[in-house]
Amino acid sequence: MGRSRRTIPEELLLLALDPATGTTAQPQSLDLGLAGAQLVELALAGRIAPDGDRIAVVMPRPTGDPTLDSALELLRRRGSPVRAVHWIGGPRLGLRQIYLAHLERCGMVHAVSGQMCGVLPTTRYQATDTAISRDIRARLDSAIRTGVPPDPRTAALAALAHAVGLGKHLYPGNEGRSSRSRLRDLIRHDPMGGLVAHAVMDVQNGVAAAPRRAAPGSSAGPGSPAGSGGGARQTASVPVQPHRGSMARAVAH
């Protein structure tokens, strides 16, 4: 996969960067969303496919993206289809830090070391090209305001943004209520995006033990979920802390 197109995990993280606070919005749920975004990106690349509420590897050939290929290899090693909710809720913590480091290597953000309260070491990630973030946001805004069905990548991005709770970050206050509602409704436009978005919300709600049962007469794509979540230079402040999980160990500080 070339670098001419940003991946959905990259776009989700760039959406979460908050220029006002210098942090990433919804940091706890964002790791889950990034794990789900990897599944969507691998599905779009033809490497995996949904099998009910499970994910099956259909082509183990690497994509050329190291972060995606790490996930693909872990899925391949499972040997059989894995439930999306179990994959997303698995012990692969630290994806936010992994993708921030990845964006830095790709030249999309610039890392600046500092301290929080004069004691705790932090790394601030400053966007190098805010036009990229504006473009991502414009795609979501267009899908919300025009009512035209979005392309699968935008639909999946919207579903994941809603699932991790970015709605209130992107469209705050009472004036953003209708936009948040329409962001939620975009989940129906991409079956894979809907599957992983519901899995992300199931993990957060602690209902990962039982398979999701479709309502009578419902389509294959999941319906509306419960819950919800610019222009200047953007930064994120991330405390330096030990990483856990097999993928987190891949981050180079």
Side-chain angles (χ1 to χ4, degrees):
M1 298 174 64
R3 296 306 307 158
S4 60
R5 184 172 63 188
R6 297 177 300 273
T7 66
I8 294 174
E10 292 168 356
E11 293 193 330
L12 182 65
L13 183 52
L14 288 171
L15 270 182
L17 289 173
D18 191 328
T21 65
T23 61
T24 51
Q26 303 297 328
Q28 287 75 32
S29 57
L30 191 56
D31 270 6
L32 302 177
L34 290 170
Q38 288 183 322
L39 294 181
V40 176
E41 192 65 48
L42 287 170
L44 290 171
R47 297 325 195 256
I48 65 174
D51 181 7
D53 67 346
R54 297 176 182 268
I55 303 298
V57 175
V58 295
M59 183 189 298
R61 179 167 57 86
T63 66
D65 181 302
T67 52
L68 291 176
D69 290 340
S70 293
L72 180 61
E73 176 61 14
L74 288 175
L75 285 166
R76 186 194 65 80
R77 290 178 183 175
R78 294 291 184 98
S80 60
V82 58
R83 286 185 63 203
V85 71
H86 288 162
W87 170 260
I88 290 169
R92 294 174 323 286
L93 303 180
L95 278 181
R96 182 170 55 109
Q97 286 82 1
I98 287 174
Y99 266 100
L100 283 169
H102 172 72
L103 291 180
E104 183 187 13
R105 291 192 299 270
C106 293
M108 294 188 199
V109 299
H110 173 62
V112 180
S113 298
Q115 288 185 327
M116 181 181 295
C117 300
V119 178
L120 182 64
T122 64
T123 301
R124 296 172 59 84
Y125 290 87
Q126 191 173 62
T128 57
D129 186 354
T130 57
I132 293 176
S133 298
R134 289 196 299 269
D135 172 70
I136 298 169
R137 178 64 179 272
R139 283 166 40 216
L140 282 187
D141 290 346
S142 177
I144 285 173
R145 292 170 181 166
T146 66
V148 176
D151 63 273
R153 302 184 70 83
T154 302
L157 180 63
L160 288 161
H162 166 68
V164 302
L166 290 183
K168 291 183 178 179
H169 166 69
L170 298 170
Y171 307 103
N174 288 333
E175 64 275 15
R177 184 178 300 172
S178 61
S179 292
R180 294 195 298 271
S181 177
R182 288 192 289 271
L183 178 71
R184 178 198 63 206
D185 292 342
L186 289 175
I187 200 170
R188 70 182 187 274
H189 288 292
D190 180 63
M192 185 65 179
L195 170 67
V196 299
H198 277 294
V200 167
M201 290 182 286
D202 282 349
V203 172
Q204 294 179 84
N205 294 330
V207 293
R212 172 176 292 276
R213 299 182 61 183
S218 65
S219 61
S224 64
S228 64
R233 291 168 66 84
Q234 300 181 356
T235 63
S237 203
V238 179
V240 175
Q241 56 186 348
H243 295 293
R244 293 182 295 168
S246 59
M247 292 187 69
R249 288 194 292 271
V251 181
H253 292 287

